[in-house]
Amino acid sequence: ECFGARPATVPHPDGQKAYNEPYGSANVPCEKIDTIRTYLTGSHKWQTVPIYQASPNASPVDGPSLVLMDGTFLVVEEGCKVFFTNSGNVIIHSNTEVPKLTKELHPLPLSLFAHRFMSIAEQMGYTLQRTATSTNIKERLDFSCAVFDGAGGLVANAPHIPVHLGAMGATIRWQREHYGPDGWREGEVLLSNHPSAGGSHLPDITVMTPCFIDGKCAFYVASRGHHADVGGTTPGSMPPFSSSLDEEGAHIKSFKLVKDGTF
C-alpha cells in the first residue's frame, strides 16, 4: 500500500507562525530500533543510517535517518531535522536553500510553468469534447485549444490539430488590431472564420476570450472547431469547384458571440 502527501504553506494574516502546536520535549529520547544501509540521492552514496520509532513528544531526529510511523515510514534526508509534536504529528525542518524564481530562464521553473500552461489547454479540450454534441468534436476530435499572451502570441497548446494552432494566433492579433487596444472589452467573446482574419477554411470556426487582471487584458484563450456545414453550395461547405468565397458558406471576420457577459 502506498501513501502520498502534498505539503502546502498558507500565510497567516498577522504574519506570525500559523502552526503553533508545541514541539516534543527534548528530554524524551526517540527510540532507535535498528540501522539500515541505503543509498541517499542527496549525497549520492551508500550510507548506514539509523531507524527510529516515531512517538509523540519525542526529541528531534537528525537526518539522514528513517522514521517508522503507523503504516508507513519517513526518509529524513541529510540536512533535515524531524520534530514530533505532542499530538504525534511530524514537522520537518530543512536547511536546504531553495533558489528564488526570477525572470531568467531556468530549467525547473520553465518546465513547471510550461506543463501548467499546457494542462490548461488540455483541460479546455476535454471540456469541449465532453460538452459537444457534434460528431466532429466529440468523436473525430477535429478541434484545437490554446492559450495566448496579451499580444496574441502562442504560449501553450494541447496536442491538437497543427493547422488550427498555427493560425489561431493570427486570428487573435487581427481582432486586436480591428477593435483597437480598448475595443475588445472584458465579458466579450468573439467568433471568426474568415481566411483574411486568420482563418483556415470556413467550417473551422474560432471562438476567442480575453482574460483580464486588474482591468487589463493579460492573456487570451481560444478554441477552433470544425463544423459540419456553414451554408456552402455543397454539403460540408467545401465545394471543390467554387470560384468565390461566398460559395463556400458564411464567412465572418468578427462577431461578438458574448457581450457584457450575455450570450
Side-chain angles (χ1 to χ4, degrees):
E1 185 176 358
C2 297
F3 293 83
R6 176 174 294 176
T9 57
V10 180
H12 200 265
D14 58 9
Q16 300 297 319
K17 186 176 175 182
Y19 190 82
N20 293 319
E21 185 177 354
Y23 288 4
S25 171
N27 298 324
V28 182
C30 191
E31 180 186 0
K32 178 181 175 181
I33 58 176
D34 204 348
T35 60
I36 188 172
R37 184 170 173 80
T38 184
Y39 185 84
L40 299 175
T41 57
S43 58
H44 300 289
K45 61 181 180 181
W46 288 90
Q47 289 182 252
T48 301
V49 299
I51 303 176
Y52 295 94
Q53 179 64 51
S55 61
N57 202 28
S59 59
V61 171
D62 292 316
S65 60
L66 262 65
V67 178
L68 298 184
M69 296 181 289
D70 293 337
T72 185
F73 65 91
L74 175 67
V75 178
V76 186
E77 295 284 354
E78 191 170 2
C80 298
K81 177 177 286 190
V82 173
F83 293 86
F84 305 95
T85 68
N86 295 338
S87 60
N89 292 322
V90 176
I91 301 174
I92 303 176
H93 287 194
S94 175
N95 58 8
T96 304
E97 294 185 1
V98 179
K100 295 182 178 180
L101 297 181
T102 65
K103 292 184 179 179
E104 297 180 2
L105 290 180
H106 188 277
L108 178 59
L110 184 63
S111 178
L112 288 174
F113 284 109
H115 284 81
R116 178 55 180 155
F117 292 141
M118 185 178 293
S119 70
I120 295 174
E122 290 174 345
Q123 289 298 322
M124 290 170 59
Y126 296 146
T127 303
L128 181 59
Q129 180 186 3
R130 288 196 302 267
T131 57
T133 57
S134 169
T135 303
N136 286 314
I137 305 299
K138 206 170 191 68
E139 298 183 16
R140 290 186 56 243
L141 306 181
D142 194 350
F143 65 87
S144 297
C145 300
V147 180
F148 301 85
D149 61 20
L154 180 64
V155 174
N157 60 263
H160 292 152
I161 309 299
V163 68
H164 293 172
L165 299 168
M168 275 198 289
T171 306
I172 292 177
R173 291 190 292 271
W174 190 95
Q175 303 297 330
R176 281 170 47 84
E177 295 173 2
H178 178 69
Y179 286 99
D182 300 321
W184 196 352
R185 296 189 296 271
E186 188 172 5
E188 294 182 342
V189 178
L190 301 185
L191 179 147
S192 177
N193 71 337
H194 202 287
S196 66
S200 43
H201 63 168
L202 297 186
D204 284 341
I205 298 178
T206 306
V207 176
M208 302 151 281
T209 306
C211 300
F212 286 74
I213 299 177
D214 297 330
K216 181 180 179 182
C217 182
F219 60 95
Y220 299 88
V221 291
S223 58
R224 176 173 291 185
H226 183 94
H227 290 62
D229 197 287
V230 290
T233 56
T234 60
S237 297
M238 290 183 287
F241 305 109
S242 59
S243 57
S244 68
L245 193 61
D246 291 334
E247 296 178 83
E248 296 188 9
H251 42 89
I252 306 167
K253 287 188 176 180
S254 183
F255 175 76
K256 290 187 179 181
L257 190 65
V258 176
K259 185 176 182 181
D260 297 328
T262 303
F263 183 74

